[in-house]
Amino acid sequence: MADEVDPQINPADPDPASRVWPLGGTTWVLPELRDAQGAHAVPGGIRSTFEVDTDEGHLYVETGCNHGRASVSINAASLQVGPMALTRMMCPDSVMWVEHSIVAVLQGQVPYLIYRDILAVGGADKALVYRSDLPPAA
């Protein structure tokens, strides 16, 4: 049948979390924020995403309330993020807290690290910890 997958040609990945996701082309979802006081889970019902278009040199964010875009250049250990243009809707306080945290981190030169399906952006005093939304392309 045409719909069947030949396991010898395209074997199932026994441990997809062991693969490294690319920075660009991946939708990263924010489950956790970190600051000097520790780790904070993003409140339930808030979906915040981070995407980098490496071809166009843009960073796109969804804060849970607003959508934004900034120019970005990438090197091995940091992002150089230009001014963020955001839509200007007002949302409940918990959503605005997430948005303010994102905007506070994503400006200027920002360190980042990818480990498997986790992307950490920021430093010890403020960091955004993202997880990939989908498995990487084979």
Side-chain angles (χ1 to χ4, degrees), residues 3-4 9 11-12 14 17 22 27 32 34 45 59 67 72 77 80 86-87 90 97 99 104 115 118 121 126 131 137:
D3 292 308
E4 290 182 18
I9 295 172
T27 299
E32 182 178 301
R34 293 186 183 177
L59 164 67
H67 301 273
V72 67
Q80 182 64 42
L86 280 172
T87 56
M90 291 301 295
W97 171 76
E99 179 171 305
Y115 178 73
I118 298 170
V121 181
K126 283 190 184 205
R131 291 201 82 117

Side-chain angles (χ1 to χ4, degrees), residues 14-77:
D15 185 14
S18 70
R19 300 172 86 185
V20 174
W21 275 246
L23 178 62
T26 300
T27 299
W28 300 94
V29 178
L30 184 68
E32 182 178 301
L33 303 158
R34 293 186 183 177
D35 61 21
Q37 286 74 44
H40 311 281
V42 171
I46 299 173
R47 179 173 165 87
S48 177
T49 61
F50 175 101
E51 296 179 35
V52 174
D53 182 332
T54 53
D55 294 333
E56 298 291 327
H58 288 110
L59 164 67
Y60 299 94
V61 295
E62 179 182 329
T63 67
C65 181
N66 289 292
H67 301 273
R69 175 180 139 170
S71 63
V72 67
S73 57
I74 304 163
N75 71 41

Side-chain angles (χ1 to χ4, degrees), residues 52-135:
V52 174
D53 182 332
T54 53
D55 294 333
E56 298 291 327
H58 288 110
L59 164 67
Y60 299 94
V61 295
E62 179 182 329
T63 67
C65 181
N66 289 292
H67 301 273
R69 175 180 139 170
S71 63
V72 67
S73 57
I74 304 163
N75 71 41
S78 67
L79 306 171
Q80 182 64 42
V81 181
M84 180 79 61
L86 280 172
T87 56
R88 296 287 180 201
M89 293 181 6
M90 291 301 295
C91 293
D93 288 346
S94 61
V95 181
M96 296 309 294
W97 171 76
V98 171
E99 179 171 305
H100 293 299
S101 298
I102 292 167
V103 172
V105 170
L106 296 178
Q107 54 183 311
Q109 189 165 351
V110 184
Y112 79 94
L113 174 67
I114 297 175
Y115 178 73
R116 296 183 178 182
D117 66 336
I118 298 170
L119 167 66
V121 181
D125 58 335
K126 283 190 184 205
L128 309 170
V129 181
Y130 292 92
R131 291 201 82 117
S132 67
D133 193 29
L134 299 171

